[in-house]
Amino acid sequence: MTKPQRVAIYVRISKDRKGQELGIQRQEQACRELCARMGWGVFKVYADNDVSASTTSRRRRPSYTEMLRDVRDGRVDGVVVHSLDRLTRRISELSRFLEDQEEHGFAFATTEGEDTTTAAGRMILTIKGAVAQQETERMSERIDNSLLQRREQGKPHAGGKRQFGFKAGSHFRELDEAETVLIHEGWQMLTRPTPGTPGDVARYWNSVGSTTPHGGDWTIQSVKRVYRSERTGGIITYKGEDIGDSVYGAPLSRQQWELAQSALDLRSTPAAQGSGTRKHLYSGFLRCGGCGASMRVQWATVQGRIFRRTFCHSGQQGKDGRLGCGKVSRSYAWIEEQLHAVVEAALPTLSQGRAEEPDQDLIGEISVLEHRVGALRSRWKEGLMADEDFFDSLTHLRAELRHLRTREASAHLRRTRAEADAQAVWRNDDPGGLEPRRAIVAAVIDRVDVFSVGRGRRRPPEPTSIAITLVS
């Protein structure tokens, strides 16, 4: 067999915390010495530094992929590695590598002397690959058991980037007092009777000079990430399951964190009609009486007179997918007066209905489930339950507990917000009070069909020129 002269040296190390590449340098030196003894010419060194090749790793190995591509393209006629586990720790990947060798006919050697030229050699190589994969899987099981034990002790995962509310380098054990205060203030904004938004929290945090852990400005999404993180509520999770509470401090209590989830969930659900951010109180409720398309509201100037109008736009799609007819255009002021009267007449009934909402107390049920979870964990720690039975039961109880806590938090939000005086909210005509007023409108009016009254009218429109559909 002709000696290969375009040999690929592949080197890899799983962990290189200092980034000095000393491990792959030693592998490369040993491989070069082997090539020199065998008279093989080195074409290129393919290095994957700080990259695992285990069965549990999801990271790609770009240099390994590049090497295989060069092998298949005929640019490489030999592969040398330090040892088999540097090439791969997956038996399926090793099998594909050996199939490529058989198909493309390249040479293969390791510094430990594996031979792939015979059937016996390939069998021994496959056995070694299976042993390497088994060791990796056993190591993964030991790590998983260790992590689970730490979680059961109430110790959170110490790795990862710094999170807002915790001191840098404390591994989530110490709180940053100034950031914790901001998290509490933002939580109060999100859960108050007239709730704020994540955007309000972001603007407030930016206004006081706060930055994200990476030094950037706060955005809606970055604020949501803070309040969505279980660590903010001191909740320990393992593989997505709620295990218990952290033994260290947290910016929010579990109950406060769950209340924040309910507040964010209420905003993330599909918005009710007319609940979007708009500039005019009744925009979104008005429909063209001719074609059913949504009518727009805007300021207009005609012969020096500035006024608001609502009109059917010929580019607006109706419910049937057809474009608006563009035949209805009305003064908005008269329509607004009529709708004001309807809403104000319904305010007393609306306030009474809110006050009479049933106050369902779920704390007792939550307490019973928490006691069951604690008893279940005690039995498992004492060896009275098998792991499989424990985790099945724990998963079921935790799911029930999350459901009850979500219901209790949502009920608390509804009770708190119902205490707000509807009359006071309605009288607040500041721009910042538009959305709460639109929420009141949405509780009274479902839609308003607006019909054409013709051109050149001097007298006020007839009440029948609009049709108001109330919320049933």
Side-chain angles (χ1 to χ4, degrees):
M1 179 178 179
T2 306
K3 293 182 179 180
Q5 296 301 314
R6 300 187 307 278
V7 171
I9 293 179
Y10 179 73
V11 292
R12 182 191 62 81
I13 190 169
S14 299
K15 296 292 183 182
D16 185 13
R17 293 183 174 88
K18 296 184 179 180
Q20 297 178 350
E21 301 186 358
L22 298 179
I24 61 175
Q25 290 177 8
R26 288 191 291 270
Q27 293 178 37
E28 179 183 345
Q29 181 179 357
C31 291
R32 287 187 177 276
E33 291 175 355
L34 175 62
C35 290
R37 290 196 302 271
M38 301 177 66
W40 293 5
V42 176
F43 170 71
K44 185 177 179 180
V45 177
Y46 300 82
D48 280 321
N49 190 48
D50 200 23
V51 179
S52 174
S54 71
T55 57
T56 59
S57 176
R58 296 183 179 180
R59 294 182 60 185
R60 298 182 181 275
R61 293 192 288 161
S63 294
Y64 180 79
T65 303
E66 180 187 359
M67 179 189 70
L68 290 182
R69 184 171 57 248
D70 289 345
V71 165
R72 293 161 184 164
D73 292 343
R75 301 181 61 193
V76 170
D77 57 5
V79 175
V80 173
V81 296
H82 185 271
S83 59
L84 182 61
D85 60 0
R86 297 302 90 196
L87 181 70
T88 181
R89 285 182 178 268
R90 307 184 188 192
I91 189 65
S92 59
E93 202 169 53
L94 176 60
S95 297
R96 289 195 298 270
F97 180 83
L98 293 177
E99 289 173 0
D100 283 339
Q101 184 192 18
E102 183 177 359
E103 178 180 353
H104 299 284
F106 61 88
F108 175 71
T110 73
T111 59
E112 295 181 347
E114 278 84 0
D115 179 20
T116 59
T117 60
T118 64
R122 287 191 294 272
M123 181 189 70
I124 293 174
L125 199 66
T126 303
I127 293 173
K128 284 188 174 182
V131 171
Q133 177 170 321
Q134 182 195 30
E135 177 58 30
T136 299
E137 292 172 351
R138 289 179 58 191
M139 185 184 302
S140 177
E141 290 176 357
R142 290 194 296 268
I143 293 174
D144 284 346
N145 291 334
S146 175
L147 291 177
L148 176 58
Q149 184 178 15
R150 283 181 53 85
R151 301 298 191 279
E152 286 294 335
Q153 294 172 351
K155 298 178 181 180
H157 179 52
K161 299 178 181 178
R162 186 180 89 84
Q163 183 173 312
F164 192 69
F166 296 89
K167 288 184 178 180
S170 68
H171 304 295
F172 305 100
R173 298 180 181 181
E174 300 179 23
L175 298 178
D176 185 297
E177 295 182 2
E179 293 180 355
T180 299
V181 170
L182 289 178
I183 290 176
H184 272 274
E185 292 175 345
W187 176 83
Q188 292 171 351
M189 294 172 66
L190 294 173
T191 58
R192 64 193 178 191
T194 303
T197 67
D200 295 331
V201 177
R203 284 186 288 273
Y204 171 65
W205 287 358
N206 287 328
S207 69
V208 296
S210 174
T211 62
T212 66
H214 311 299
D217 292 334
W218 287 103
T219 63
I220 292 175
Q221 295 303 322
S222 58
V223 167
K224 285 183 178 180
R225 281 194 292 270
V226 172
Y227 289 103
R228 287 296 192 186
S229 172
E230 288 88 353
R231 281 174 173 164
T232 301
I235 300 172
I236 304 297
T237 60
Y238 178 74
K239 294 186 177 180
E241 295 295 329
D242 186 344
I243 298 297
D245 298 323
S246 173
V247 296
Y248 308 114
L252 298 177
S253 67
R254 176 186 282 270
Q255 290 72 23
Q256 289 173 327
W257 181 84
E258 289 171 347
L259 194 60
Q261 305 315 297
S262 296
L264 294 175
D265 290 341
L266 288 175
R267 294 195 60 84
S268 63
T269 54
Q273 179 182 6
S275 64
T277 301
R278 299 178 186 267
K279 298 179 181 179
H280 306 279
L281 184 58
Y282 295 104
S283 61
F285 295 95
L286 306 180
R287 296 288 185 272
C288 175
C291 66
S294 296
M295 298 186 69
R296 299 186 182 183
V297 180
Q298 70 175 22
W299 288 94
T301 303
V302 178
Q303 296 179 350
R305 184 170 62 93
I306 302 175
F307 64 100
R308 285 180 297 170
R309 66 167 183 153
T310 179
F311 62 100
C312 177
H313 195 282
S314 59
Q316 185 80 30
Q317 283 189 339
K319 288 186 176 180
D320 57 359
R322 294 183 299 176
L323 296 178
C325 63
K327 296 180 180 180
V328 179
S329 179
R330 298 279 300 276
S331 171
Y332 178 75
W334 181 86
I335 296 175
E336 186 179 51
E337 291 176 3
Q338 308 305 307
L339 299 183
H340 276 354
V342 172
V343 174
E344 288 169 1
L347 281 179
T349 305
L350 183 64
S351 299
Q352 182 181 5
R354 288 184 175 180
E356 293 177 354
E357 287 184 358
D359 186 8
Q360 185 178 7
D361 184 8
L362 302 173
I363 296 179
E365 296 182 52
I366 293 175
S367 179
V368 171
L369 279 180
E370 287 178 339
H371 178 74
R372 290 178 61 187
V373 169
L376 185 71
R377 184 178 289 111
S378 298
R379 292 186 60 196
W380 177 65
K381 288 183 177 180
E382 292 172 3
L384 301 178
M385 287 187 68
D387 291 352
E388 183 177 355
D389 295 337
F390 168 69
F391 284 111
D392 286 345
S393 302
L394 183 65
T395 299
H396 175 70
L397 290 177
R398 284 296 184 191
E400 288 189 41
L401 199 54
R402 279 197 302 272
H403 177 66
L404 288 177
R405 282 172 171 160
T406 300
R407 288 177 56 194
E408 201 280 330
S410 299
H412 176 75
L413 279 178
R414 288 194 297 270
R415 292 193 301 268
T416 304
R417 293 173 184 177
E419 294 172 0
D421 185 357
Q423 293 282 355
V425 172
W426 182 251
R427 289 193 295 268
N428 180 19
D429 57 359
D430 293 335
L434 180 64
E435 287 305 316
R437 297 182 75 202
R438 286 178 59 80
I440 292 178
V441 173
V444 178
I445 297 176
D446 179 61
R447 60 178 288 168
V448 181
D449 292 301
V450 181
F451 302 96
S452 176
V453 295
R455 296 183 179 181
R457 292 178 60 89
R458 296 295 182 182
R459 62 182 184 276
E462 298 293 336
T464 55
S465 66
I466 61 174
I468 303 173
T469 303
L470 301 179
V471 174
S472 57

